[in-house]
Amino acid sequence: SIAGFSQYEQLAGGVKTLFGTEATSLAEYANSVGKSAEEVAGEYEKLLASQQTVFDNADKAFQSAGLSANEYMETVTSFSASLLQGLGGDTEKAAALADKAIIDMADNANKMGTDIGSIQNAYQGFAKQNYTMLDNLKLGYGGTQEEMVRLINDSGILEKKIEDLDGIRFDQIVEAIHAVQTNIGITDATAQEASSTIEGSVNAMKSAWSNLVSGMARDDADLSGLMSDLAGSVETAGANLLPRITTILSSMGTLVAQLAPQIAGQVPQLIEQVVPPMIEAGAQMLGGV
């Protein structure tokens, strides 16, 4: 719990730095930027709303993305600086788009069977204008700038066709990938699997457990909500697992029933062939002693 909380503490600080403010009050924030409280009141409220959006999305990521809150925030902070730059510092839009990107990553991993780490690395590369890992997404595009141009054109997010990536922002790339994945039926795969498949529901259960463990050390944690999330995820995972376990045990019973007569028929011959040599070997060993 302490280890989970210490990680949460660091990651929450990163979220506040990118999307919100470390200031504990409007007066403290105004003092930190050298303006009056009246001048920064709107900006301060917007920053608080943005960081709270990220925290709320992190808390529900066990269902939407199969990630714990810590894993979610770690992923968010890895590429959000580029999002904010492309969106002119609009933290509210960046928080919403970051959530869309993370869910898209999880949907891709669950639908295509790709390791989520390689997809996260690809997105981090896109944020740095490195497109060599585009093929990690398995969307039918190679790892080149030309293929990213083709993906953006295929997505239809722009009102025109482009020839190169000059002027293309990271947030537009995120929107383009989302559009392509929606067109081929990948979007929302994680949320569906969290309720209907064994692997998806078990991953959600693990993430809900991680959230509870780290939340036990937080002063501001909603423990009742965290326990409710875990209980719900356990119930869902159990509902998906129990029918399979029942089928497995039934199949084992059928298998034993079919094999038992065949095995029993071989036992007399096995005894006849194996036991006499064993007795003879034992007698010789005793004689040797």
Side-chain angles (χ1 to χ4, degrees), residues 24-281:
T24 57
S25 67
L26 174 59
E28 183 179 336
Y29 178 70
N31 184 60
S32 69
V33 296
K35 296 181 179 180
S36 68
E38 292 75 13
E39 289 177 304
V40 298
E43 180 182 355
Y44 179 71
E45 291 301 323
K46 183 177 180 180
L47 291 173
L48 288 183
S50 299
Q51 73 183 33
Q52 189 59 48
T53 295
V54 177
F55 290 141
D56 290 344
N57 289 338
D59 287 340
K60 66 183 182 182
F62 75 97
Q63 286 180 319
S64 64
L67 301 174
S68 68
N70 284 358
E71 291 170 331
Y72 181 95
M73 290 190 293
E74 185 176 13
T75 305
V76 160
T77 54
S78 68
F79 61 76
S80 289
S82 295
L83 273 182
L84 285 163
Q85 184 179 7
L87 293 169
D90 190 327
T91 54
E92 291 180 325
K93 287 184 179 179
L97 198 54
D99 187 59
K100 180 183 289 187
I102 291 176
I103 294 175
D104 282 344
M105 293 180 200
D107 288 344
N108 188 292
N110 286 322
K111 200 73 172 181
M112 300 302 192
T114 309
D115 175 63
I116 186 68
S118 67
I119 298 174
Q120 291 169 332
N121 290 336
Y123 271 77
Q124 291 168 18
F126 304 155
K128 300 172 184 175
Q129 299 180 337
N130 178 358
Y131 310 105
T132 57
M133 290 181 283
L134 177 57
D135 55 347
N136 286 4
L137 304 185
K138 297 181 181 178
L139 298 175
Y141 301 90
T144 64
Q145 290 192 28
E146 292 75 17
E147 287 291 270
M148 180 59 83
V149 168
R150 185 165 70 89
L151 183 148
I152 292 172
N153 286 334
D154 290 347
S155 72
I157 66 162
L158 303 177
E159 296 179 355
K160 61 178 181 178
K161 297 291 184 179
I162 59 173
E163 300 294 331
D164 53 50
L165 296 174
D166 289 345
I168 297 299
R169 307 185 307 269
F170 178 55
D171 59 284
Q172 292 174 315
I173 291 174
V174 170
E175 292 282 17
I177 293 173
H178 178 76
V180 169
Q181 293 197 165
T182 299
N183 290 340
I184 61 178
I186 294 178
T187 302
D188 295 330
T190 304
Q192 294 171 10
E193 291 192 4
S195 61
S196 61
T197 69
I198 291 175
E199 184 173 3
S201 58
V202 169
N203 284 340
M205 179 178 64
K206 289 178 180 178
S207 296
W209 167 252
S210 296
N211 289 348
L212 176 60
V213 169
S214 61
M216 289 170 66
R218 287 169 47 195
D219 295 327
D220 61 343
D222 177 12
L223 287 180
S224 177
L226 292 173
M227 287 188 286
S228 177
D229 289 343
L230 177 61
S233 65
V234 170
E235 183 178 0
T236 300
N240 292 329
L241 279 166
L242 288 176
R244 298 308 103 214
I245 294 173
T246 301
T247 300
I248 291 168
L249 294 177
S250 176
S251 299
M252 288 174 62
T254 302
L255 178 65
V256 170
Q258 292 181 354
L259 288 180
Q262 300 180 34
I263 295 173
Q266 298 296 321
V267 170
Q269 182 180 355
L270 184 65
I271 293 175
E272 182 180 349
Q273 292 177 349
V274 174
V275 174
M278 289 181 65
I279 294 174
E280 184 179 352

